[in-house]
Amino acid sequence: MDSNKQVPDEIKGWNWGAFVFNFIWGIRFKSYKALWALIPVFGGFYAFVIGAKGNEWAWQNNNWESVEAFKTAQRKWSFGALAFFLVLVLFVSVSLNSRFRDSEQSPSVKLALAELEQSESFRTNIGIPYDYSLNQSTIGGYEVKGYAEMNLDIEGANGEGVFFFKASHANQNWQLDCLTIQYTDTQETDVVIPCD
C-alpha cells in the first residue's frame, strides 16, 4: 500500500461495494485490511471502516488510468451491493410470509378456530365466515413433543377481535391448553379455556 499516494478529493467518501462485499472487494482491489471482516463479531463492525475507507485504500493500492476509471469500477460494485441487498430483502420477505402462512394453517390454529366456532358468543360477536391473520407466534419443541402460543386478529361479518391460545402436542396430537378472545367492539373477553 502506498500510503503517500495522494487521494483525489472527488473519490473520498462511502463505498457501498466495499461495505457489503468487504473481504471479497478487498482481495479484488488489493486492500487486504478488508480481510479483518472475516473475524466473527468484530468483522461486522469493521465493515463500516471498510465502507468509509475503501475508496482511499483502493486508490492507493492500485494503478488507475483516471479518477473516472476508478469511479466506474467502484460504481459496478455499488450496483452489485444494491442488487444483493434487494435480493436479500426479497428472500427475507418471502421467508417470513411463508412462515406466517404455515403458522396460520397449522393444526393448532385449526383446533383453536374449531373450538371458537362452538362458542355462541363468538358466533354473535364475530360471525361465520371470518378471516384471520397472525400477529405473533412462538412455536417450539420437536415432532415427538412441542408447543405453540399464538395471537391472531380475526374479523367476521358481525365484528372483529383478537384471540390468543396455547396448545401442546405429543406425537402431533394437538390439544388446547388455553384459549381466549377479546371482541373489539365491546372489549369483552371470552375465556373459552382458562389459562393457568
Side-chain angles (χ1 to χ4, degrees):
M1 176 173 174
D2 185 359
S3 57
N4 296 321
K5 190 174 181 181
Q6 187 67 32
V7 178
D9 288 338
E10 57 263 48
I11 70 160
K12 290 180 179 177
W14 187 259
N15 186 319
W16 282 106
F19 173 71
V20 173
F21 298 115
N22 45 66
F23 71 92
I24 298 168
W25 175 93
I27 292 168
R28 164 61 185 88
F29 292 106
K30 302 175 189 169
S31 301
Y32 300 114
K33 288 181 181 180
L35 293 174
W36 286 98
L38 291 170
I39 298 172
V41 182
F42 172 79
F45 295 105
Y46 195 67
F48 288 93
V49 174
I50 301 167
K53 301 295 283 181
N55 283 342
E56 296 174 39
W57 296 346
W59 181 266
Q60 292 170 336
N61 292 326
N62 297 272
N63 294 317
W64 298 95
E65 295 173 16
S66 65
V67 168
E68 200 48 52
F70 176 88
K71 286 183 174 181
T72 300
Q74 297 309 315
R75 202 174 294 122
K76 289 176 184 174
W77 283 80
S78 292
F79 284 136
L82 177 63
F84 175 80
F85 178 74
L86 292 174
V87 168
L88 183 63
V89 167
L90 181 64
F91 174 77
V92 169
S93 298
V94 168
S95 296
L96 286 175
N97 283 337
S98 175
R99 180 176 164 255
F100 276 10
R101 195 167 42 253
D102 290 347
S103 294
E104 287 177 358
Q105 301 300 319
S106 70
S108 59
V109 172
K110 291 178 180 176
L111 187 62
L113 289 170
E115 188 70 31
L116 281 175
E117 288 175 10
Q118 302 304 311
S119 163
E120 183 64 39
S121 174
F122 174 82
R123 291 195 298 274
T124 300
N125 289 285
I126 301 295
I128 299 173
Y130 51 80
D131 287 319
Y132 61 93
S133 60
L134 184 66
N135 266 339
Q136 198 174 12
S137 73
T138 304
I139 299 173
Y142 306 95
E143 281 193 31
V144 177
K145 192 172 185 179
Y147 68 91
E149 291 184 21
M150 295 193 197
N151 189 311
L152 297 96
D153 289 327
I154 191 162
E155 182 177 358
N158 301 336
E160 51 190 67
V162 177
F163 73 96
F164 169 80
F165 72 86
K166 292 181 183 179
S168 56
H169 78 82
N171 296 316
Q172 298 300 317
N173 293 318
W174 286 92
Q175 69 171 29
L176 289 171
D177 303 318
C178 164
L179 176 60
T180 64
I181 182 167
Q182 183 176 50
Y183 303 111
T184 304
D185 292 342
T186 63
Q187 291 300 302
E188 172 195 344
T189 299
D190 188 8
V191 180
V192 181
I193 298 174
C195 299
D196 293 333

